Amino acid sequence: MPAAFPLDLDALPASARDVLAPLAGRRVAVAMSGGVDSSVVAALAAAAGCHTVGITLQLYDQGAAARRPGACCAGADIRDARTVAERLGIAHYVIDMESRFREAVIDNFVDSYAKGLTPVPCVECNRTVKFTDLIALARDLGAEALLTGHYVQRIDGPDGAELHRGADPGKDQSYFLWTTTQDQLDYLRFPLGGLAKTETRALAEAFGLVVAAKPDSQDICFVPGGDYAAVVEKIRPELARPGEIVDIAGRVLGGHNGIHRFTVGQRRGLELGGQAEPLYVIGIDAAQNRVITGPRRALAVRAVQLDGANLLGPIDGPLMVKVRSMAPLAQGWIEGDMLRFAEPQLGVAPGQAAVAYIGDRLVAGGTMVATVAAEPGLIPA
């Protein structure tokens, strides 16, 4: 028989206790990927006396990606989730969502590269499969909340639930959750938002979970070995066709074997010798199958156009913006569908997300679909 996890709120970390105490004795669902984070969330919920149900989504083919250490939602990770659920003595369901994941995430990922964009598949996965379909499943099971292992904080404010950055700057995942709606946020809970990763692993050890030392999952879980170009070419082989690498004036400098292998800001892989200064990818012309290069200063942009913007709070104060998940915060402001920067930003890639904060609170986000160069004379021909 698995060890019991009785009500013991006083033994839980204060931040997790604050999240879980109101749910004690009530049914909750936990999104269990088979990793250490979601496993600890399930253990915390069970320890807090919640009627806990684990849900694992089988998202993609159990091939090379599923066997790779650090993958999630397939193969061995499903077995790990089941093992943890048995250890905790909680119900556990595995739901086959491969077709939905393929359509909503993988196909979108490939189509974005075909358009010359650089997608963020984790955002699309959270928007569709995890925070739409999974929430619907949790509601169908009678759960009063869905708990996940994201390192973000949900704080009750005067106008409802607010989404804030995780307390551990190195693990904050709020950038990937900008599409979360207010209705979804009202239903979600994030017990790890106030913890550091080291604390989470220590809890996994204390709970005796088999996944305590398991490597973190990778951002692109369905890409074996990190070779995203191979995934793109398997689905859209016609994209691996030769094309031109040109400069800002349109002069041909070299060739490439597929625009999906390049992203704005990239320097490596161009293989252009004999240039007066280092060249970077500053644009991708999908219609002409061209990669456009220029000097580093040509990467600077003063504004971006946003598509599909989502508001989770007021945007009338000074905003701090992230244009990549690991980028430093930059000051900016939103005017209609345009996000303008106080200082030019480098390496802004269409297809990526721009996420805006006031303090630690996430207030808005959108997909960047076009950029405005800081130096108009460096706009590609």
Side-chain angles (χ1 to χ4, degrees):
M1 294 291 292
F5 285 79
L7 175 65
D8 190 8
L9 287 172
D10 291 340
L12 303 184
S15 60
R17 184 169 64 244
D18 291 344
V19 173
L20 295 169
L23 297 170
R26 298 158 69 181
R27 173 173 287 215
V28 302
V30 179
M32 298 182 67
S33 68
V36 62
D37 297 327
S38 60
S39 297
V40 168
V41 168
L44 288 170
C50 300
H51 180 188
T52 307
V53 177
I55 305 176
T56 299
L57 302 181
Q58 180 177 306
L59 297 182
Y60 54 90
D61 179 57
Q62 284 75 47
R67 294 190 297 270
R68 175 173 53 86
C72 72
C73 306
D77 300 287
I78 293 176
R79 293 193 293 273
D80 286 344
R82 182 178 293 115
T83 299
V84 169
E86 291 172 352
R87 162 71 176 157
L88 303 178
I90 64 173
H92 179 241
Y93 299 93
V94 178
I95 311 297
D96 185 348
M97 298 285 286
E98 284 192 28
S99 295
R100 170 66 166 151
F101 185 74
R102 167 67 179 263
E103 175 187 353
V105 180
I106 298 179
D107 286 349
N108 178 274
F109 176 82
V110 173
D111 289 345
S112 293
Y113 274 111
K115 296 173 183 176
L117 304 174
T118 303
V120 190
C122 290
V123 168
E124 197 61 23
C125 183
N126 288 327
R127 186 183 71 83
T128 57
V129 176
K130 291 183 178 177
F131 284 2
T132 298
D133 302 335
L134 184 52
I135 283 179
L137 285 168
R139 291 187 189 276
D140 287 344
L141 290 171
E144 297 187 45
L146 174 66
L147 282 56
T148 81
H150 290 100
Y151 285 84
V152 295
Q153 299 182 84
R154 176 192 179 277
I155 297 176
D156 290 322
D159 298 317
E162 301 173 357
L163 184 60
H164 289 244
R165 285 184 287 181
D168 181 352
K171 287 298 295 180
D172 168 50
Q173 294 171 307
S174 60
Y175 176 87
F176 300 103
L177 301 186
W178 66 266
T179 61
T180 306
T181 67
Q182 188 63 54
D183 181 63
Q184 291 168 346
L185 188 57
D186 289 340
Y187 188 69
L188 291 161
R189 300 295 186 276
F190 309 106
L192 304 186
L195 303 181
K197 182 70 178 203
T198 53
E199 294 176 281
T200 300
R201 289 205 181 275
L203 285 168
E205 290 280 359
F207 282 125
L209 304 183
V210 68
V211 296
K214 189 173 183 177
D216 286 347
S217 60
Q218 305 299 311
D219 282 350
I220 306 180
C221 59
F222 56 89
V223 178
D227 188 359
Y228 76 89
V231 173
V232 172
E233 291 169 14
K234 181 178 180 180
I235 297 173
R236 297 280 298 275
E238 72 275 11
L239 294 179
R241 67 183 191 274
E244 297 173 336
I245 298 177
V246 302
D247 64 12
I248 291 172
R251 291 186 293 265
V252 177
L253 304 178
H256 66 78
N257 292 316
I259 59 171
H260 62 289
R261 295 178 173 273
F262 299 88
T263 189
V264 171
Q266 180 177 335
R267 181 181 173 188
R268 293 183 179 179
L270 289 173
E271 299 180 358
L272 301 174
Q275 304 302 316
E277 59 183 317
L279 295 180
Y280 298 78
V281 176
I282 62 168
I284 298 173
D285 185 343
Q288 298 295 321
N289 193 32
R290 279 182 160 188
V291 175
I292 305 166
T293 64
R296 188 173 186 272
R297 65 185 185 277
L299 291 172
V301 302
R302 57 184 174 87
V304 295
Q305 182 180 8
L306 300 179
D307 182 54
N310 181 48
L311 299 181
L312 269 177
I315 57 172
D316 52 358
L319 303 178
M320 300 302 292
V321 182
K322 272 183 176 283
V323 294
R324 296 181 305 281
S325 63
M326 301 303 293
L329 290 166
Q331 188 173 355
W333 64 95
I334 295 175
E335 296 177 351
D337 65 349
M338 298 299 295
L339 168 63
R340 304 188 186 281
F341 304 110
E343 298 290 340
Q345 299 298 300
L346 299 176
V348 178
Q352 296 276 289
V355 181
Y357 302 84
I358 294 180
D360 283 333
R361 183 184 179 185
L362 191 159
V363 295
T367 300
M368 299 181 291
V369 294
T371 61
V372 179
E375 297 184 45
L378 294 178
I379 296 176

